[in-house]
Every structure is written in C-alpha cells, then in structure tokens.
Amino acid sequence: MYDYIKTIIPRERILFHEPMSKYTTFRVGGEAECILVVQNEDELARLIPYLNRIEQEYFILGNGSNLLVGDKGYRGMVVKFGEEMEQIQVEGTRVTVKAGAFLSKVAMTAKQHSLTGLEFAAGIPGSIGGGIVMNAGAYEGEMKQVVESVRVMDRDGQILTLDNDTMEFGYRTSIIKNRPFIVVEVVLQLAVGDQEKIAAKMEELAVLRRSKQPLEYASAGSTFKRPEGYYAGKLIMDAGMRGYRIGGAQVSDKHCGFIVNTGKATAADIKEVIEEVQERVKERFHVMLEPEIVFLGDF
C-alpha cells in the first residue's frame, strides 16, 4: 500500500506515527498511523479512489478545530491539505478559495480588498473546507450567506460543482455531512464595502469573543449544537455544571457551552465531561445535547 502511495505523494509528505495533539485545537489525541499531506487536486484524485478501492479507512483533516481524537490514536489514514491547497484568489466581488485555507485568513483577505459579508468568520479557527461541511457561523452570520458554489470530489476522484441550493445548508450541516464528498474549492460572492467599517466590525466581534469565550484555553469552540428553543450554555449552567471538571477537562466558568483543556487533559477526560453534561442536562430538562465536535479514533 505505501509503495503505491509513494508514487502519488513524495516520501517527505508521508508522516508516520504523528501525535494528533499537534493537529487539533483541543491539543489532545494519540498518534495517527499515517498523515498524508496532499498539495493539489491531482494527488487527491489519485489517492482517494485508491483508498476507497482497498477499503482503507481515512479522515480528511482541516484545522482540527472541531475534532476530538482519542488517546489511543487513529489507525486509519489522515489526509491533510498542504500549503498549495490554501490559495485565495480575488476577482471583483468573487473570492475563490482552496479548501485548506483558514477562514480567518479568507476573512482578512476580503477585508484587504474592501469586501464585506465575511466579517463573522474572522474569529472562526477552522479551515474553509471544514466550515463548508458544517455551515460554520457566528454572530448571526453563516457560510450559507456567502457561498456561491462548492467544488467537491467524490469517492471516484471525480469533481462536481454544487451551487448554494444544492449544498442543502442548514444549522451546522450541509449535504456533505451525508455524502462521501470532499470539499476542494469554494467560490464566495461578497459585496463591495468600506474597509474601515469592515475592520471596525471585525474588531467589535473580536472584543465580544474575548469577553464571552474562554480563548485562553485549548478547546474546540462551542461543544454542543444549539437545541431548538434553547441555548446549550444556559442549559448546562442551569444544570449546575459550570466549572465541572474531570482531570484536566472542564466546563468553562466563562461560557458553559465550552469544554476546555485546562492544560493536562486527556481525550478521555474531555469525552467524559461531554457525556456527563449530556446526562445531567437530559435528566434535568429532558433535552439531549448533540455535540458539534467529531470523535475520531480509539479512546
């Protein structure tokens, strides 16, 4: 298998036994058996059909900002986009972005070109590919509002272009949640704006984030989806879980919707806190909180 993969990806971009704590914003996780760093669509189009053909498990990694990897690691292949898959091109009000680009960088690029509509994304730590998959959003903004089209790759390495309606965007979901598609490129349609006003809006949202979110700790952002008719953080607080802790994992004192790594948490600690929060909230309010984060590997 590796002999064949080396005909697609150079040996220096095949990384064995990498600790996933280096690749997730929770800063926890055991070793991945192998990380394959892909630099372009051609490599991806050769690699993905092969992995599917031999039934080799794999996971597409963005910035790891919505991911909890088990302490015992992940036995499959982790496919990570390299620098060439982070390109951003601006033509008028249209911004074309490769899937590996950070959302924050895309938002800053839009600001530099006096384009408005993406201010909400300036503080989101994920890649745009991951942001598309989950229709990332914050402060009344979401990707659905600015996406014109998305280029995806299927299991056979074929490229499809999906327009905004076809993407089936919803609250923290998209068509890609239920289809074996990989985001490779996104086209955003923004609007001409005033650069100073755009910068001011970004700073306003940044101040809001710093005041309300525990940015001083490693986390995966909001741990749970917002249940219909409720706010996850308030349910958790009202269930008496503020500051609840197992090992180094804790329900944030600052915002109960965040579970944070206070410094020496294990993935198992974090998972246990998540499960305990779910159990207490369900017991008290008959609401089952659904995690936003993806669980990967063995715990």
Side-chain angles (χ1 to χ4, degrees):
M1 178 179 66
Y2 285 114
D3 285 343
Y4 181 76
I5 288 174
K6 280 186 279 189
T7 69
I8 302 171
I9 296 173
R11 175 65 187 84
E12 62 270 18
R13 288 195 268 119
I14 301 175
L15 313 175
F16 293 99
H17 305 297
E18 283 282 292
M20 289 300 290
S21 56
K22 291 167 53 178
Y23 298 90
T24 68
T25 57
F26 260 133
R27 298 291 178 254
V28 299
E31 292 182 348
E33 181 176 312
C34 180
I35 295 180
L36 306 173
V37 181
V38 173
Q39 287 286 26
N40 55 59
E41 288 181 28
D42 290 339
E43 290 179 352
L44 195 66
R46 292 176 63 196
L47 177 66
I48 294 303
Y50 173 69
L51 295 179
N52 285 316
R53 190 163 60 247
I54 66 172
E55 298 183 347
Q56 169 61 52
E57 184 179 347
Y58 62 91
F59 180 81
I60 306 299
L61 178 69
N63 190 36
S65 59
N66 213 37
L67 181 65
L68 181 62
V69 181
D71 300 309
K72 296 176 184 176
Y74 176 61
R75 298 176 194 174
M77 300 280 183
V78 173
V79 179
K80 179 174 171 55
F81 291 144
E83 290 181 3
E84 291 179 31
M85 289 294 288
E86 298 175 5
Q87 296 170 2
I88 304 168
Q89 292 183 317
V90 180
E91 294 180 12
T93 56
R94 186 176 279 113
V95 183
T96 303
V97 189
K98 296 291 187 185
F102 285 6
L103 264 172
S104 55
K105 186 175 180 182
V106 181
M108 292 303 293
T109 301
K111 183 195 78 172
Q112 290 161 6
H113 287 79
S114 299
L115 296 177
T116 184
L118 205 58
E119 290 88 337
F120 72 90
I124 297 176
S127 66
I128 195 164
I132 292 297
V133 171
M134 67 173 294
N135 187 25
Y139 300 110
E140 299 182 358
E142 58 182 356
M143 296 308 299
K144 176 183 180 179
Q145 298 166 356
V146 293
V147 169
E148 179 178 291
S149 62
V150 181
R151 293 177 70 245
V152 299
M153 184 175 291
D154 67 14
R155 289 173 57 87
D156 299 319
Q158 300 300 308
I159 294 291
L160 307 171
T161 300
L162 309 180
D163 63 18
N164 190 299
D165 290 338
T166 308
M167 283 298 299
E168 298 178 8
F169 286 122
Y171 175 64
R172 299 298 177 263
T173 191
S174 72
I175 192 173
I176 302 172
K177 284 272 192 178
N178 304 307
R179 300 285 184 91
F181 293 153
I182 299 168
V183 177
V184 293
E185 189 176 79
V186 182
V187 178
L188 306 176
Q189 181 60 64
L190 303 178
V192 175
D194 180 275
Q195 191 172 108
E196 288 187 6
K197 289 181 180 177
I198 295 167
K201 182 65 174 177
M202 286 182 172
E203 179 57 27
E204 176 191 331
L205 295 181
V207 169
L208 205 54
R209 278 192 179 89
R210 288 194 294 270
S211 68
K212 293 182 177 294
Q213 298 179 8
L215 303 181
E216 65 272 25
Y217 292 112
S219 78
S222 295
T223 307
F224 300 98
K225 294 180 181 178
R226 186 178 66 243
E228 191 172 346
Y230 299 92
Y231 289 98
K234 188 172 189 315
L235 286 173
I236 296 165
M237 180 177 67
D238 291 347
M241 299 293 284
R242 182 191 292 275
Y244 179 82
R245 183 171 182 150
I246 295 176
Q250 181 180 358
V251 175
S252 169
D253 288 315
K254 197 172 191 179
H255 189 316
C256 291
F258 285 63
I259 292 172
V260 299
N261 176 359
T262 60
K264 294 185 178 180
T266 64
D269 292 339
I270 295 168
K271 188 168 183 284
E272 281 187 58
V273 171
I274 290 171
E275 291 169 350
E276 186 64 26
V277 165
Q278 288 177 303
E279 189 175 322
R280 296 259 193 108
V281 168
K282 185 178 181 184
E283 185 180 280
R284 177 86 181 270
F285 301 107
H286 308 290
V287 175
M288 187 61 186
L289 293 177
E290 183 183 351
E292 274 192 20
I293 61 179
V294 174
F295 298 86
L296 182 68
D298 300 319
F299 288 81

